Amino acid sequence: MIIPLLFLIAIIGYFLYILYYAYSFYFARIKPLTVSEKKVLLNNFPVYKKLSTRQKQKFEFRILRFRKEKQFVFNGLIPRQEDMALLLSATAALLTLGLKNYRIPAIERIIIYPNQYFSKLNRQNHIGEYNPGLKTIVFSAEHVKEGFEIPNDNKNLGVHEFAHALSFNAIIEKTQESKQFRIQIAKLNALFENADFINKMKTSYYFRDYGKTNVHEFFAVATENYVETPEQFYKEFPELYRIIGVMLNFDFHQP
């Protein structure tokens, strides 16, 4: 009786050690957001004020995790780099707030330039892009900031590029959430090819023209609208609003 009991105690002890190690590595070493960082969130994310206490805690934790796990590379003279990393981490956390799988393995590196930059991908000047092969998002810091200056103009570079990454992430992941995401993309594609829907888009002027490029750009542009003007979106395009709502599992109209 003694030997089996000791063996059981050893197993339990080892299991507790693993839990403690995991906790210390993933949680204890992450410092909470400072008061000044929370002010940055309040000033740039209107929805932050609407979140419940529990949602705010989850949002803040995911910001910290994203910022800790991803590599941020700053090229050139960029003031307040900490704020830029916070804004981008918060954007990623906001788009995944309703998801169980929020780590976005399709992103490993975030490169930030002061302004527009020359892209080696297509040899043109860019303000932002997502490279799935390199698992890298590239941003112009100036244009990221502009995306937050007017919170309801449906132009947010951070949201746009992270939407591209989320879409690609749904392809490489094999989770139930990713499967559901792909199903909704198919529904969105069907709308995008529907003549009546296209005509409605043209007459409403709600989505900017860049979204008409292809279904991937349409999703990214529509996600910008979903985040910035959810009330108008729901009123004008309720079917599309519901599709994106299922994708993100978060309702910006009624958080």
Side-chain angles (χ1 to χ4, degrees), residues 182-201:
R182 294 192 296 270
I183 291 171
Q184 301 309 312
I185 280 285
K187 291 182 180 180
L188 188 146
N189 189 56
L191 273 181
F192 185 71
E193 295 177 349
N194 182 281
D196 291 336
F197 182 80
I198 292 172
N199 185 58
K200 185 178 180 181
M201 277 204 304

Side-chain angles (χ1 to χ4, degrees), residues 75 111-130 137-141 143 157 161:
N75 288 323
I111 300 175
I112 302 106
Y113 290 90
N115 207 312
Q116 68 175 5
Y117 58 91
F118 183 74
S119 171
K120 295 180 181 179
L121 193 64
N122 58 11
R123 310 198 66 78
Q124 293 180 2
N125 288 328
H126 274 250
I127 62 172
E129 63 185 308
Y130 171 62
I137 297 187
V138 189
F139 290 106
S140 154
H143 291 85
L157 180 63
E161 297 304 334

Side-chain angles (χ1 to χ4, degrees), residues 160 164 183-202 207-223 233 237 239-241 243-244 247:
H160 187 97
H164 281 312
I183 291 171
Q184 301 309 312
I185 280 285
K187 291 182 180 180
L188 188 146
N189 189 56
L191 273 181
F192 185 71
E193 295 177 349
N194 182 281
D196 291 336
F197 182 80
I198 292 172
N199 185 58
K200 185 178 180 181
M201 277 204 304
K202 289 179 180 178
F207 299 107
R208 50 195 177 95
D209 288 340
Y210 189 63
K212 300 170 187 176
T213 306
N214 54 54
V215 69
H216 303 293
E217 293 300 342
F218 179 57
F219 168 65
V221 167
T223 303
F233 196 153
F237 295 89
E239 183 180 4
L240 177 59
Y241 188 91
I243 289 173
I244 297 180
M247 287 169 145

